[in-house]
């Protein structure tokens, strides 16, 4: 009986690792989200499968896919974890009405949003911010999230999408790579190793089309995070289309340079998204208003320098 009880109560660490892999569809994405190594995530999931005696994922050369049993288990685990998180936050803060549970994008959150958060805290000390990292569309109620910063299109089901900003992208590489692979015209990039973002599969095609260049972009390495793409470029692995405002420091330091002087407006844009049930929730309304002010100031500054 004791052994059975233990089998039915996996560790929260294993469940969190499984939930993250199930949502993101990869061990590497889960590792970044949970700040663990990919090996640690793999061991947690394998241990959970062994404990339950079932296969939760089919592992292929292209990644991992939930099995039928894994998909059913993922729904139940996600709901349970969301309840635990909500209960923990309530116990820690004891202030329900003045909390904002905000989902942020990893690179955008770290490089653009976080340096500005002190201004919001100074203006609204009564609001407690709780941050989570999310990529793509998710279930607000299931994850216990009030609001999200989203990159993509304003087509989130059952949610209000407030436009924040567009972004300019350009091909970048390391100076050493560009020296050994000179680019004199846009077509030259077709023969070079191109790095891709998994969330933006058509980005390179869009860039070449903007120049009227016919041809199929090479199927090079694919990444899930802009931070990883930037590091791959710095290491000399190829050329990537990067949002310039997210790599200000690398461009300023000379670690990265524009491989070809042609910037295009990305088909994707940034939005503040909140479920319809929370659209008028006071912390959501306050954060949205502040965010729009910050974006306005940023865009004015960028226009001055020629964005």
């Amino acid at each position: 009986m004791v052994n059975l009880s233990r089998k039915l109560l996996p560790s929260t660490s294993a469940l969190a690792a499984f939930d993250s892999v199930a949502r993101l569809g990869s061990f590497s994405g889960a590792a970044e989200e949970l700040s663990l190594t990919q090996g640690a995530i793999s061991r947690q999931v394998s241990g959970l499968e062994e404990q339950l005696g079932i296969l939760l994922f089919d592992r292929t050369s292209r990644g991992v896919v939930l099995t039928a049993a894994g998909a059913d288990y993922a729904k139940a685990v996600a709901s349970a974890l969301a309840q635990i998180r909500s209960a923990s936050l309530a116990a820690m803060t004891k202030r329900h009405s003045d909390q904002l549970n905000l989902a942020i994008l990893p690179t955008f959150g770290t490089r653009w949003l976080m340096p500005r958060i002190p201004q919001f805290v100074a203006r609204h000390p009564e609001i407690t911010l709780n941050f989570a990292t999310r990529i793509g569309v998710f279930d607000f109620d299931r994850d216990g999230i009030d609001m999200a910063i989203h990159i993509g299109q304003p087509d989130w089901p059952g949610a209000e999408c407030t436009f924040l900003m567009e972004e300019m992208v350009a091909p970048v590489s390391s100076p050493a790579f560009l020296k050994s692979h000179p680019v004199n015209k846009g077509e030259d990039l077709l023969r070079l190793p191109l790095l891709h973002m998994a969330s933006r599969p058509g980005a390179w095609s869009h860039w070449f089309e903007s120049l009227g260049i016919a041809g199929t972009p090479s199927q090079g390495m694919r990444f899930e995070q802009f931070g990883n793409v930037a590091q791959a470029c710095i290491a000399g692995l190829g050329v990537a289309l990067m949002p310039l405002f997210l790599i200000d420091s690398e461009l300023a330091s000379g670690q990265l340079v524009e491989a070809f002087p042609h910037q295009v407006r990305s088909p994707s844009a940034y939005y503040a998204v909140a479920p319809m049930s929370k659209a008028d929730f006071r912390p959501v309304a306050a954060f949205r208003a502040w965010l729009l002010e910050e974006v306005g100031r940023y865009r004015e500054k960028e226009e001055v320098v020629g964005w």
Side-chain angles (χ1 to χ4, degrees):
M1 179 65 71
V2 173
N3 289 337
L4 178 59
S5 296
R6 288 178 179 173
K7 267 196 168 188
L8 296 177
L9 288 173
S11 73
T12 54
S13 297
L15 293 175
F18 166 68
D19 173 66
S20 186
V21 176
R23 283 188 288 100
L24 300 178
S26 78
F27 285 93
S28 61
E32 179 158 354
E33 180 177 76
L34 299 177
S35 298
L36 296 172
T37 65
Q38 188 170 333
I41 295 293
S42 180
R43 287 191 294 274
Q44 291 279 14
V45 172
S46 296
L48 180 61
E49 290 177 321
E50 183 178 349
Q51 182 175 352
L52 298 176
I54 60 173
L55 189 65
L56 298 172
F57 293 101
D58 287 324
R59 295 157 173 83
T60 69
S61 59
R62 294 186 175 182
V64 293
V65 179
L66 284 164
T67 62
D72 290 339
Y73 193 56
K75 292 179 183 177
V77 167
S79 177
L81 289 177
Q83 290 183 18
I84 292 172
R85 293 188 189 101
S86 296
S88 298
L89 285 171
M92 290 167 63
T93 63
K94 297 181 181 180
R95 293 193 304 175
H96 298 275
S97 60
D98 291 333
Q99 289 184 47
L100 177 64
N101 298 327
L102 180 67
I104 59 176
L105 300 163
T107 308
F108 179 87
T110 301
R111 301 201 172 196
W112 192 91
L113 183 62
M114 282 302 171
R116 293 170 167 81
I117 287 296
Q119 285 93 312
F120 177 81
V121 173
R123 182 183 298 186
H124 294 283
E126 78 284 1
I127 297 177
T128 299
L129 293 173
N130 304 305
F131 295 97
T133 302
R134 294 289 185 275
I135 303 170
V137 177
F138 58 87
D139 188 315
F140 282 100
D141 291 336
R142 186 194 69 182
D143 287 9
I145 299 295
D146 302 314
M147 190 177 191
I149 306 300
H150 174 61
I151 179 70
Q153 303 300 320
D155 54 4
W156 197 307
E160 179 181 74
C161 300
T162 302
F163 173 78
L164 296 177
M165 67 173 85
E166 295 175 314
E167 64 179 10
M168 299 300 292
V169 299
V172 299
S173 69
S174 70
F177 180 90
L178 191 60
K179 184 177 181 180
S180 60
H181 302 80
V183 176
N184 298 311
K185 54 186 185 299
E187 288 88 341
D188 292 341
L189 289 172
L190 287 171
R191 59 180 174 77
L192 298 182
L194 303 180
L195 308 182
H196 301 261
M197 278 292 297
S199 60
R200 304 182 187 189
W204 272 113
S205 294
H206 175 72
W207 187 86
F208 283 115
E209 287 170 5
S210 73
L211 285 171
I213 296 174
T216 302
S218 67
Q219 295 300 311
M221 296 181 183
R222 190 176 66 168
F223 299 84
E224 294 180 347
Q225 304 294 336
F226 277 119
N228 293 337
V229 180
Q231 289 304 312
C233 281
I234 291 171
L237 295 177
V239 183
L241 273 180
M242 294 289 289
L244 297 178
F245 83 104
L246 292 181
I247 54 171
D248 281 341
S249 60
E250 287 86 353
L251 292 171
S253 67
Q255 291 178 293
L256 292 175
V257 296
E258 287 193 46
F260 187 75
H262 179 66
Q263 301 175 14
V264 299
R265 206 170 294 276
S266 171
S268 299
Y270 290 91
Y271 296 87
V273 183
M276 291 299 185
S277 60
K278 294 288 183 72
D280 297 323
F281 181 44
R282 195 181 72 83
V284 166
F287 192 82
R288 185 195 298 115
W290 169 81
L291 192 57
L292 287 172
E293 288 181 18
E294 288 297 315
V295 168
R297 277 192 283 269
Y298 170 75
R299 293 175 68 181
E300 287 176 4
K301 177 182 175 183
E302 290 302 305
E303 287 172 2
V304 170
V305 297
W307 184 51

